[in-house]
């Protein structure tokens, strides 16, 4: 592992949806409509509460168990294609993300539940891909997605950084749970559109986040004062 020492984190691992890009309102709406199309009696509020930050593999396993609706052939690919079409017309970066990433000195990567095609499409569309130097990791590269720690441990290993020298930026309980299980401290971000007016992040703190913030432009200060913030 890299032997760098210092006050701040050596690696910042960003979730993508709801942290870098304001995609969750779009994604959750498309998922809800497609689930209802195959006969799942579910509404947007339930989808948001249960599946934000969760991989499609885990989502469809829950749907089969809880609703008795097996995944139709081609359904996941159809949802992904539908979501990408919606992204083309609606997707935006989280306010301030591009400017902050452009001035960050810390090493950084992305670790997301989304599949690689969607990840790169979304980050390219919003102009953020260039800030990660190809270091974009997907849950499809590991055995288990969030809330398991596999993806974050994989990302840290690929970047050759010890887990305790990482800081994760997450917006969902499964993501915070996964980071904590990986031995990585977490900052909870609650500035995405899916948070609505309640941006207290109480559930993220309860899941183990060190603290929460709702303006991306606050991130440089939080990282610069990380030792104090993490105690």
């Amino acid at each position: 592992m890299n032997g760098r020492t210092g006050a701040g984190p050596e690696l910042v691992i960003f979730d993508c949806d709801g942290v870098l890009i304001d995609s969750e309102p779009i994604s959750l709406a498309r998922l809800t409509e497609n689930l209802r199309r195959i006969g799942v009696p579910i509404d947007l509020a339930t989808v948001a509460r249960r599946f934000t930050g969760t991989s499609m593999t885990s989502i469809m396993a829950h749907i089969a168990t809880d609703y008795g609706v097996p995944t139709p052939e081609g359904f996941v690919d159809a949802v992904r294609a539908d979501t990408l079409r919606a992204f083309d017309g609606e997707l935006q970066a989280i306010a301030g993300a591009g400017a902050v990433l452009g001035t960050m000195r810390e090493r950084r990567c992305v670790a997301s539940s989304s599949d690689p095609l969607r990840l790169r499409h979304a980050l390219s569309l919003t102009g953020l891909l260039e800030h990660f130097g190809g270091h974009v990791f997907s849950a499809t590269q590991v055995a288990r997605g969030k809330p398991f720690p596999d993806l974050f441990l994989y990302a840290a290993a690929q970047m050759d950084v010890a887990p305790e020298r990482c800081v994760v930026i997450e917006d969902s309980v499964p993501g915070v749970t996964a980071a904590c299980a990986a031995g990585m401290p977490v900052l909870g971000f609650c500035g995405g559109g899916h948070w609505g007016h309640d941006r207290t992040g109480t559930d993220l703190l309860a899941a183990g986040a060190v603290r929460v913030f709702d303006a991306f432009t606050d991130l440089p200060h939080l990282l610069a004062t990380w030792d104090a913030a993490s105690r």
Side-chain angles (χ1 to χ4, degrees), residues 11 13 109-111 137 150-161:
L11 176 68
I13 304 179
C109 68
V110 176
F137 306 109
D150 304 32
L151 178 57
F152 289 130
L153 292 173
Y154 177 80
Q158 292 300 304
M159 300 295 290
D160 194 27
V161 178

Side-chain angles (χ1 to χ4, degrees), residues 143-223:
R144 304 175 300 176
K146 303 171 189 178
F148 296 99
D150 304 32
L151 178 57
F152 289 130
L153 292 173
Y154 177 80
Q158 292 300 304
M159 300 295 290
D160 194 27
V161 178
E164 65 271 16
R165 295 295 300 152
C166 302
V167 170
V168 174
I169 315 299
E170 263 289 353
D171 73 312
S172 72
V173 169
V176 172
T177 302
C180 289
M184 300 178 184
V186 194
L187 290 171
F189 181 69
C190 48
H194 61 295
W195 280 91
H197 296 295
D198 180 13
R199 301 197 172 193
T200 58
T202 304
D203 56 344
L204 302 183
L205 292 168
V210 173
R211 62 171 56 179
V212 298
F213 66 111
D214 65 4
F216 207 94
T217 50
D218 289 341
L219 182 58
H221 174 72
L222 292 172
L223 295 176

Side-chain angles (χ1 to χ4, degrees), residues 119-136:
L119 268 174
R120 292 188 173 274
H121 180 76
L123 290 170
S124 297
L125 197 63
T126 53
L128 300 181
L129 185 61
E130 64 187 60
H131 296 294
F132 292 96
H135 302 306
V136 178

